[in-house]
């Protein structure tokens, strides 16, 4: 057993990583169980070698091998060279260097302590690092050594030999008994295999004997008893042997008379001292040389054989080491994999436990939740019963409200009638009475103002079709901004309701609450739709166009002659509506009176500006666009534009210029709408002249409706009637459906409104009720009451229609 005796070693003692220096005497270690690791001054560079040793030799004692290179101070001259000051100056730096060295070794020991390895240190002070390593190996009989093969920057997968000069020196000079591993960057690069059979191969050369028999005997004894020791083989020696070269082998003589010059050289030549005087000794020497050469050849062959076996053993050990490393790596990977799986399984178990706890908690809460659900169902049932009772109560309140509104309306009408009687006004004519509707009725009639029921929209509001008290009506919703007071609104509505003419649309009622007006609904659309042949409708014949022009002129004359004068203010083809018999009726007559003047002017200015012809209305009087004043002349200008549309059928934009040009060039027939039939050219051209004069820019230059325009339209209307009569094309006018009594199926003379909302002939509904019926003739539902209300608006409309028949 080899014993390691170290001096001045330092160990890691105590707790919490504290370092305590302990100086010991000579301590003994088992060198067979101790791995020596050569470390340098750079901890980072030597750390990989240290970790490799700890990783590959677990449980072994790790001894740090370090060579300290002292710094040499220059010699002091003079008298101080022999005094105590010289000694102090020399020892102080050495003491400081050794202290730094001890700190370096402490740092290495701390690393090993963290890695859990037993550690100690051995160091030597020497100028040459490689010589110091070899010295420590020899002095302490080191069996196992780990050191660096090259710097980390030289590492690559192809690195198979040592590169460091220190490593090469140690590989060559260290005793063969030391097994050395050379690593680089944590990887094994080269292994020098140690042997237990002693020293290097050194064969001693004998001095020339006195006779040949003695030489032969001594040589045989040397060859038979000499022990061949293989020196450390480096990369260069391997190459020389494989190449068939012989390395120089020094053969040292054990004979005491061997001269220092009697050494065999690298190629086996042996210089011998020959005595020229003794010839027989020369012959003996020649024979000895031959025998020695044969011995050298045998030694060379033996060395090759030993080297081959050593290389084979090294390869086997290297393969074995690689297999062990690979197996250990696989084992670590498998252990890591099993650890991960174990953690995953544990995690799944923990989740399973949590889920089971939650499941148990939910199961415990289930009865509580079921009881809450049962209570909720009971509460829901109670709420449903309350809602049903609330709905029934709401229906009864709504019924009472409607009854009270009806009574209120009747009371107001009676009050107005009494007021007029007190003031001495004529109350015998019932035409001024119109119906008042609630906002709820308006909302229900338009289906909550459904956009699909909107039939028009303009600057004075939107128009919806609706079903009000079982009658189809048109509801005009006035704009909400700038609204008048309720009293002013009702006064203006009363004035407009007095204006009755066969060619003016009939106002049925009003809703002061929502500022809306209710008119009769004409299903045949507007004049604009017919002139544009909307929905593939056939063009209007010239006779119908002429009659429509005369009807518009008649209505305008009526409005202008009314007291007070009521100009239309917004006349255009879309405001001329047609009934089932193509009788024209003007809508929105005097609507501007229901909107404050400043708001009406602002609306017109914003919608119709000269700078934006795409939205400007060509039917409006230019003067009206300037000052916002609605006059008779404004209606005359609009009427002239409508006449030109009826004659030509062209769009209004640019129609003035086209007709003027055609008349000036005597090509008026080129602009006439011949799809209306064969126009009487002279009368049509005369009507075109009148239309152009109506569209003069100066209002004073425009024609008068009564004296100048009607004088042209009257004869043309008579001509149309004669033309239609001669062709037998005149068809009897159809009776509007809402003029007919549902019971008698005749035009009503005394229309009365029953509790079901339908209008009946007075004699018919009275006879129905007097015969004991208390249900509606139309719906067969029980009537709420038997009161009858006169429908003055419908009565007036029937009278006007009958007047137009004749």
């Amino acid at each position: 057993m080899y014993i390691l005796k170290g001096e001045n070693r330092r160990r890691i003692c105590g707790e919490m990583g504290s370092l305590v220096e302990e100086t010991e005497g000579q301590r003994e270690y088992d060198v067979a169980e101790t791995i020596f690791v050569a470390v340098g001054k750079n901890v980072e560079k030597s750390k990989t070698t240290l970790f490799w040793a700890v990783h590959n030799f677990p449980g072994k004692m790790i001894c740090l091998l370090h060579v300290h290179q002292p710094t040499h101070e220059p010699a002091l001259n003079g008298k101080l060279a022999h005094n105590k000051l010289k000694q102090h100056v020399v020892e102080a730096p050495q003491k400081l260097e050794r202290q730094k060295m001890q700190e370096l070794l402490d740092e290495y020991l701390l690393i090993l302590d963290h890695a859990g390895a037993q550690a100690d240190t051995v160091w030597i002070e020497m100028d040459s690092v490689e010589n110091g390593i070899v010295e420590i190996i020899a002095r302490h009989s080191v069996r196992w050594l780990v050191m660096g093969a090259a710097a980390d920057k030289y590492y690559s997968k192809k690195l198979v030999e040592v590169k460091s000069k220190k490593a090469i020196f140690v590989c060559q000079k260290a005793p063969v008994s030391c097994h050395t591993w050379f690593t680089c960057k944590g990887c094994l690069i080269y292994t020098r295999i140690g042997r237990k059979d002693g020293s290097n191969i050194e064969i001693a050369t004998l001095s020339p004997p006195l006779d040949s028999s003695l030489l032969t005997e001594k040589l045989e004894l040397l060859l038979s008893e000499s022990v061949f020791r293989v020196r450390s083989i480096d990369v260069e020696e391997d190459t020389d042997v494989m190449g068939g070269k012989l390395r120089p082998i020094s053969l040292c003589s054990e004979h005491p008379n061997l001269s220092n010059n009697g050494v065999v050289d690298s190629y086996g030549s042996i210089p011998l001292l020959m005595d020229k005087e003794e010839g027989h000794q020369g012959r003996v020497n020649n024979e000895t040389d031959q025998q020695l050469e044969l011995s050298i050849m045998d030694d060379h062959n033996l060395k090759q054989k030993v080297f081959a076996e050593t290389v084979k053993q090294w390869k086997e050990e290297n393969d074995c080491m690689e297999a062990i490393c690979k197996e250990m790596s696989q084992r670590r990977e498998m252990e890591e994999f099993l650890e991960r799986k174990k953690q995953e399984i544990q995690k799944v178990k923990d989740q399973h436990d949590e889920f089971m706890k939650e499941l148990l908690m939910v199961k415990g809460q289930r009865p509580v939740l079921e009881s809450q659900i049962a209570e909720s169902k009971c509460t829901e049932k109670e709420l449903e019963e309350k809602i049903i009772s609330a709905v029934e109560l709401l229906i009864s309140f709504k019924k009472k409200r409607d009854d009270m509104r009806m009574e209120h309306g009747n009371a107001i009408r009676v009050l107005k009638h009494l007021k007029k009687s007190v003031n001495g006004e004529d109350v015998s004519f019932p035409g001024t009475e119109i119906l008042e509707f609630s906002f709820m009725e308006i909302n229900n009639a338009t289906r909550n103002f459904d956009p699909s029921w909107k039939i028009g929209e303009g600057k004075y509001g939107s128009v919806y079709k609706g079903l009000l008290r079982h009658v189809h009506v048109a509801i005009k919703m006035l704009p909400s901004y700038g609204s008048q007071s309720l009293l002013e609104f009702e006064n203006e509505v009363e004035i407009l309701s007095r204006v009755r003419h066969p060619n003016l649309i009939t106002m049925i009622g009003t809703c002061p609450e929502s500022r809306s007006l209710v008119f009769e609904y004409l299903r045949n659309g507007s004049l604009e739709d017919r002139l544009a042949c909307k929905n593939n409708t056939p063009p209007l014949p010239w006779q119908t166009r002429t009659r429509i022009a005369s009807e518009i002129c008649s209505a305008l004359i009526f409005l202008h002659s009314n007291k007070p004068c009521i100009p239309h203010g917004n006349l255009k083809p879309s405001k001329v509506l047609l009934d089932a018999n193509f009788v024209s009726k003007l809508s929105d007559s005097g609507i501007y009176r229901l909107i404050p003047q400043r708001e009406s002017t602002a609306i017109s200015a914003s919608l119709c500006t000269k700078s934006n012809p795409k939205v400007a209305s060509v039917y409006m009087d230019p003067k009206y666009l300037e000052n916002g004043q609605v006059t008779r002349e404004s209606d005359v200008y609009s009427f002239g534009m409508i006449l030109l549309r009826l004659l030509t059928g062209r769009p209004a934009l640019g129609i003035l210029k086209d007709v003027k040009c055609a008349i000036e060039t005597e090509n008026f027939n080129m602009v006439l709408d011949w799809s209306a039939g064969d126009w009487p050219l002279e009368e049509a051209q005369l009507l075109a002249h009148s239309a152009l004069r109506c569209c003069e820019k100066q209002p004073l230059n425009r024609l008068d409706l009564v004296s100048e325009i009607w004088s042209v339209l009257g004869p043309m209307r008579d001509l149309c009637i004669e033309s239609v009569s001669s062709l037998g094309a005149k068809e009897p006018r159809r009776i509007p459906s809402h003029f007919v009594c549902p019971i008698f199926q005749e035009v009503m003379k005394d229309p009365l409104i029953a509790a079901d909302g339908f209008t009946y002939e007075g004699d018919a509904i009275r006879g129905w009720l007097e015969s004991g019926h208390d249900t509606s003739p139309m719906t067969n539902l029980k009537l709420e009451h038997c009161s009858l209300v006169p429908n003055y608006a419908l009565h007036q409309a029937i009278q006007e229609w009958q007047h137009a028949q004749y």
Side-chain angles (χ1 to χ4, degrees):
M1 176 182 295
Y2 293 94
I3 303 299
L4 169 64
K5 298 181 178 180
E7 296 180 356
N8 297 327
R9 293 185 299 272
R10 303 184 62 176
R11 298 183 302 168
I12 300 298
C13 304
E15 298 178 354
M16 302 300 290
S18 62
L19 295 177
V20 179
E21 181 176 339
E22 179 184 353
T23 304
E24 299 178 350
Q26 293 186 351
R27 295 184 60 183
E28 296 182 355
Y29 294 95
D30 186 0
V31 294
E33 297 297 326
T34 304
I35 308 297
F36 287 79
V37 181
V39 294
K41 295 181 180 180
N42 194 323
V43 178
E44 293 297 327
K45 293 182 180 179
S46 300
K47 191 184 294 185
T48 55
T49 304
L50 193 60
F51 285 156
W52 185 90
V54 173
H55 178 73
N56 287 277
F57 301 104
K60 298 287 187 181
M61 167 70 77
I62 303 296
C63 185
L64 300 174
L65 188 154
H66 179 69
V67 178
H68 174 60
Q69 292 176 291
T71 303
H72 296 283
E73 296 292 336
L76 298 175
N77 52 10
K79 297 180 179 181
L80 296 176
H82 302 284
N83 56 20
K84 295 181 179 181
L85 181 61
K86 176 181 177 182
Q87 183 179 0
H88 176 72
V89 171
V90 171
E91 291 178 354
Q94 294 178 354
K95 184 177 181 181
L96 182 61
E97 288 179 358
R98 290 193 182 115
Q99 183 178 357
K100 291 182 179 178
M101 181 198 67
Q102 294 294 346
E103 293 176 356
L104 176 67
L105 294 177
D106 288 342
E107 187 174 353
Y108 281 117
L109 290 173
L110 184 62
I111 294 173
L112 291 173
D113 182 60
H114 289 167
Q118 297 180 359
D120 207 337
T121 61
V122 60
W123 61 275
I124 189 171
E125 189 172 279
M126 190 171 288
D127 294 336
S128 173
V129 175
E130 52 268 30
N131 289 330
I133 296 174
V134 174
E135 177 67 22
I136 292 177
I137 294 173
R139 182 182 299 178
H140 299 292
S141 301
V142 174
R143 290 285 306 278
W144 314 105
L145 176 66
V146 179
M147 69 177 295
D152 290 349
K153 62 181 180 180
Y154 296 113
Y155 172 75
S156 68
K157 294 183 179 180
K158 298 181 179 180
L159 183 62
V160 295
E161 60 185 5
V162 292
K163 291 290 185 181
S164 172
K165 293 180 180 180
K166 300 179 181 65
I168 295 173
F169 183 86
V170 172
C171 185
Q172 293 176 354
K173 300 299 182 180
V176 240
S177 60
C178 180
H179 191 107
T180 309
W181 291 276
F182 296 92
T183 65
C184 181
K185 206 174 182 180
C187 298
L188 181 65
I189 303 300
Y190 183 75
T191 304
R192 177 185 182 276
I193 301 174
R195 299 176 57 87
K196 297 181 180 180
D197 53 355
S199 61
N200 300 332
I201 299 176
E202 296 179 353
I203 303 175
T205 304
L206 300 175
S207 61
L210 297 177
D211 51 45
S212 59
S213 61
L214 180 61
L215 174 62
T216 304
E217 182 180 358
K218 291 291 184 180
L219 183 60
E220 290 177 355
L221 179 63
L222 177 66
L223 293 176
S224 61
E225 295 180 357
S226 298
V227 179
F228 297 96
R229 291 173 292 180
V230 182
R231 295 173 57 91
S232 60
I233 303 171
D234 58 3
V235 179
E236 295 177 354
E237 184 177 355
D238 295 343
T239 306
D240 292 341
V241 174
M242 291 179 184
K245 299 180 182 180
L246 295 176
R247 281 188 56 83
I249 303 175
S250 60
L251 301 177
C252 302
S253 176
E254 295 180 357
H255 196 274
N257 296 326
L258 183 64
S259 171
N260 292 334
N261 295 329
V263 180
V264 181
D265 63 7
S266 301
Y267 299 94
S269 63
I270 308 174
L272 301 174
L273 298 177
M274 302 179 63
D275 189 3
K276 296 180 180 181
E277 295 179 357
E278 295 181 359
H280 68 277
Q281 291 183 359
R283 291 191 296 272
V284 173
N285 291 337
N286 290 334
E287 293 177 358
T288 304
D289 292 342
Q290 292 177 359
Q291 294 177 359
L292 186 59
E293 287 179 358
L294 292 174
S295 299
I296 292 172
M297 292 299 295
D298 293 339
D299 176 67
H300 174 67
N301 295 334
L302 178 61
K303 184 177 181 180
Q304 284 185 336
K305 183 177 180 182
V306 171
F307 175 75
E309 292 178 356
T310 303
V311 171
K312 181 178 179 182
Q313 183 180 0
W314 172 78
K315 288 183 178 179
E316 291 177 354
E317 291 182 357
N318 191 32
D319 294 340
C320 182
M321 183 65 69
E322 290 180 355
I324 292 173
C325 294
K326 185 176 181 181
E327 183 179 356
M328 291 177 66
S329 176
Q330 292 178 352
R331 181 177 179 181
R332 285 195 302 270
E333 292 178 357
M334 182 60 67
E335 289 176 353
E336 293 175 356
F337 176 76
L338 292 175
E339 183 64 24
R340 288 196 302 270
K341 290 298 182 182
K342 184 178 179 181
Q343 292 177 358
E344 292 178 0
I345 293 172
Q346 185 63 35
K347 185 177 180 181
V348 172
K349 288 182 178 179
D350 295 340
Q351 292 179 352
H352 178 266
D353 295 339
E354 292 179 1
F355 291 153
M356 291 301 297
K357 291 180 180 177
E358 292 180 358
L359 181 60
L360 293 175
M361 186 182 298
V362 171
K363 287 183 177 179
Q365 293 177 351
R366 180 176 180 179
V368 179
L369 294 175
E370 289 179 351
S371 62
Q372 291 179 355
I373 292 174
E375 292 177 359
S376 300
K377 289 183 178 180
C378 295
T379 306
E380 180 183 0
K381 187 175 181 180
E382 293 176 358
L383 291 176
E384 287 180 355
E385 293 176 354
K386 290 181 179 179
I387 290 173
I388 292 172
S389 61
V391 169
E392 294 176 352
L393 186 61
L394 179 63
I395 293 173
S396 63
F397 285 161
K398 185 177 179 181
K399 181 180 179 182
K400 291 179 180 180
R401 182 203 61 187
D402 294 339
D403 295 341
M404 293 177 68
R405 283 181 176 177
M406 186 175 293
E407 293 178 1
H408 179 263
N410 294 334
I412 289 179
R413 280 192 291 271
V414 172
L415 180 60
K416 289 182 179 180
H417 182 75
L418 293 175
K419 284 183 178 180
K420 292 177 182 179
S421 299
V422 172
N423 295 332
E425 297 180 2
D426 185 10
V427 297
S428 59
F429 182 66
T432 60
E433 296 291 339
I434 60 174
L435 300 176
E436 288 189 7
F437 302 98
S438 65
F439 177 74
M440 184 65 68
E441 291 179 291
I442 299 297
N443 188 61
N444 294 335
T446 58
R447 295 186 179 179
N448 297 324
F449 300 99
D450 188 351
S452 62
W453 281 45
K454 182 184 287 189
I455 58 178
E457 186 173 8
K459 65 179 182 178
Y460 292 137
S462 304
V463 182
Y464 292 85
K465 68 178 179 180
L467 186 63
L468 189 60
R469 298 183 183 178
H470 308 287
V471 177
H472 289 281
V473 295
I475 301 173
K476 178 80 171 182
M477 302 297 298
L478 299 177
S480 58
Y481 47 80
S483 300
Q484 297 172 320
S485 65
L486 181 60
L487 182 59
E488 292 177 347
F489 178 79
E490 291 180 347
N491 291 336
E492 293 296 337
V493 168
E494 185 176 356
I495 293 173
L496 294 178
S497 65
R498 292 175 179 270
V499 181
R500 299 285 182 173
H501 188 272
N503 299 115
L504 294 178
I505 192 168
T506 304
M507 182 186 296
I508 298 175
T510 180
C511 177
E513 183 181 356
S514 62
R515 296 296 196 274
S516 58
L517 304 176
V518 182
F519 297 95
E520 62 175 319
Y521 178 68
L522 302 181
R523 301 176 183 273
N524 228 355
S526 65
L527 179 61
E528 180 67 36
D529 297 338
R530 288 296 178 171
L531 291 176
C533 298
K534 187 177 180 180
N535 298 327
N536 295 324
T537 54
L540 293 174
W542 68 271
Q543 296 89 346
T544 304
R545 298 187 187 192
T546 304
R547 178 174 53 80
I548 290 173
S550 64
E551 291 172 350
I552 296 173
C553 183
S554 174
L556 290 177
I557 293 173
F558 175 78
L559 290 173
H560 294 174
S561 61
N562 190 70
K563 293 182 181 180
C565 178
I566 305 177
H568 189 281
N570 192 25
L571 185 61
K572 51 187 174 182
S574 61
K575 301 299 180 182
V576 180
L577 305 180
L578 304 176
D579 66 2
N581 298 311
F582 292 97
V583 174
S584 62
K585 293 190 177 187
L586 302 184
S587 64
D588 290 354
S589 300
I591 292 295
Y592 67 92
R593 296 173 61 91
L594 300 176
I595 300 175
Q597 186 64 26
R598 61 182 182 276
E599 299 295 341
S600 177
T601 304
I603 296 170
S604 301
S606 62
L607 295 178
C608 307
T609 60
K610 294 181 180 180
S611 60
N612 193 354
K614 292 184 178 180
V615 299
S617 176
V618 296
Y619 298 98
M620 287 189 175
D621 182 9
K623 289 294 182 180
Y624 170 76
L625 296 177
E626 293 177 2
N627 53 34
Q629 295 294 327
V630 178
T631 60
R632 296 187 183 95
E633 288 74 15
S634 301
D635 288 346
V636 173
Y637 182 91
S638 302
F639 178 68
M641 292 296 297
I642 293 176
L643 283 179
L644 294 177
R645 289 287 316 273
L646 290 170
L647 289 170
T648 63
R650 297 187 175 191
L653 192 62
I655 194 173
L656 274 174
K657 184 178 179 180
D658 294 342
V659 174
K660 283 182 181 179
C661 183
I663 291 177
E664 290 174 358
T665 58
E666 297 182 354
N667 289 324
F668 178 70
N669 59 338
M670 299 299 294
V671 296
L672 268 179
D673 186 8
W674 293 105
S675 64
D678 296 331
W679 288 86
L681 192 57
E682 293 183 3
E683 287 79 2
Q685 190 169 356
L686 180 60
L687 190 59
H689 275 287
S690 301
L692 291 176
R693 292 190 62 187
C694 290
C695 296
E696 290 287 344
K697 291 185 178 180
Q698 292 298 327
L700 297 178
N701 296 334
R702 296 170 189 167
L703 298 180
D704 182 68
L705 291 175
V706 178
S707 60
E708 294 176 297
I709 297 178
W710 185 255
S711 61
V712 177
L713 278 174
M716 286 194 68
R717 184 190 63 172
D718 297 338
L719 180 62
C720 293
I721 295 173
E722 293 176 1
S723 175
V724 172
S725 300
S726 62
L727 295 174
K730 185 175 181 180
E731 298 178 358
R733 295 188 179 183
R734 290 184 297 176
I735 302 173
S737 59
H738 57 282
F739 289 178
V740 178
C741 174
I743 299 176
F744 286 169
Q745 293 297 315
E746 295 177 354
V747 178
M748 292 180 284
K749 297 179 180 179
D750 182 19
L752 298 177
I753 301 174
D756 58 357
F758 288 93
T759 302
Y760 305 92
E761 175 62 34
D763 295 340
I765 189 63
R766 290 192 190 97
W768 174 268
L769 296 174
E770 290 175 357
S771 62
H773 293 90
D774 59 352
T775 58
S776 169
M778 297 295 293
T779 63
N780 202 28
L781 298 176
K782 186 175 181 180
L783 297 173
E784 296 178 359
H785 55 81
C786 296
S787 302
L788 301 175
V789 179
N791 193 338
Y792 297 124
L794 184 59
H795 182 266
Q796 181 65 22
I798 292 173
Q799 288 183 344
E800 292 173 357
W801 177 80
Q802 291 175 343
H803 176 72
Q805 289 289 91
Y806 303 101

